[in-house]
Amino acid sequence: MSDITVRTLGEDEWEQYRAVRLSALEESPDAFAATLAEEQEFDEALWRTRMQRSQRLLAEREGTAVGVASLGQQTESDRVAELFGLWVSPAARGSGVATQLVRAGADAARQQGRTHLAYWVGTDNGRAVAFASGFGFRPTDSRRPMRVRQADVEEEIAMVLPLGEDRGMPRL
């Protein structure tokens, strides 16, 4: 199997981000708060705004997009970056793509001077909790109503990855 590369997309690569984001919404509609129909209607200006608002990480294998994640500041603390919108194409699942995306997100957050990386997962999503825990994320007391379209899951838990010497838990 060939190597996975992860790179940050620039604003002018909004069409590439749009294509992989729409693929994610089509393949995994229950994993996102937005719908395919909603985002298909977005114009170029809105896609460019999204590219400016958060860092978009694209995982590729042999030049083909196999996953995506976003890095932004969704919390009140400027010390904490948030990883969100993580998706891996079905054919690439289990091959290390998610790990590479999270690693790239953690590296980017560290370069921005952040001390922690937050990742929200459904409290009933054992697979996601196990993945995050295995990567070094720790559960927090922070909960919020589920923002994605999963009828059986009612809340999300914030999991936090310390990025340096500060092992304390930030307020989210």
Side-chain angles (χ1 to χ4, degrees):
M1 203 164 270
S2 61
D3 289 336
I4 300 161
T5 59
V6 177
R7 64 187 180 90
T8 298
L9 293 173
E11 180 186 337
D12 289 337
E13 295 175 291
W14 68 270
E15 290 174 295
Q16 192 165 9
Y17 174 65
R18 179 185 188 273
V20 72
R21 173 70 178 177
L22 295 180
S23 291
L25 290 169
E26 182 175 27
E27 190 279 323
S28 300
D30 292 338
F32 300 97
T35 68
L36 177 63
E38 290 168 345
E39 294 203 9
Q40 282 176 324
E41 296 300 317
F42 291 172
D43 64 9
E44 177 180 341
L46 184 54
W47 285 104
R48 284 183 178 276
T49 298
R50 291 179 96 182
M51 298 299 287
Q52 295 168 3
R53 194 172 54 217
S54 300
Q55 187 172 350
R56 309 302 174 167
L57 304 170
L58 181 70
E60 298 172 302
R61 180 178 284 136
E62 297 179 0
T64 300
V66 293
V68 67
S70 295
L71 183 72
Q73 183 174 343
Q74 307 291 319
T75 67
E76 294 178 19
S77 172
D78 61 357
R79 299 178 335 151
V80 181
E82 182 177 339
L83 185 76
F84 61 98
L86 177 63
W87 176 81
V88 176
S89 68
R93 290 179 186 156
S95 68
V97 174
T99 298
Q100 292 295 327
L101 284 164
V102 174
R103 185 172 291 130
D107 290 345
R110 210 176 279 108
Q111 290 171 2
Q112 295 171 4
R114 308 299 177 92
T115 60
H116 294 81
L117 181 63
Y119 179 51
W120 290 88
V121 298
T123 55
D124 292 344
N125 189 341
R127 188 172 175 180
V129 171
F131 168 75
S133 295
F135 198 88
F137 285 85
R138 298 180 304 189
T140 68
D141 292 335
S142 296
R143 304 280 192 281
R144 70 182 183 194
M146 194 72 172
R147 293 172 26 178
V148 301
R149 303 176 191 282
Q150 295 178 4
D152 297 345
V153 181
E154 302 212 0
E155 69 179 358
E156 294 177 302
I157 181 173
M159 298 189 71
V160 173
L161 177 69
L163 298 175
E165 298 299 317
D166 184 355
R167 307 307 269 178
M169 295 302 251
R171 185 172 195 82
L172 300 179

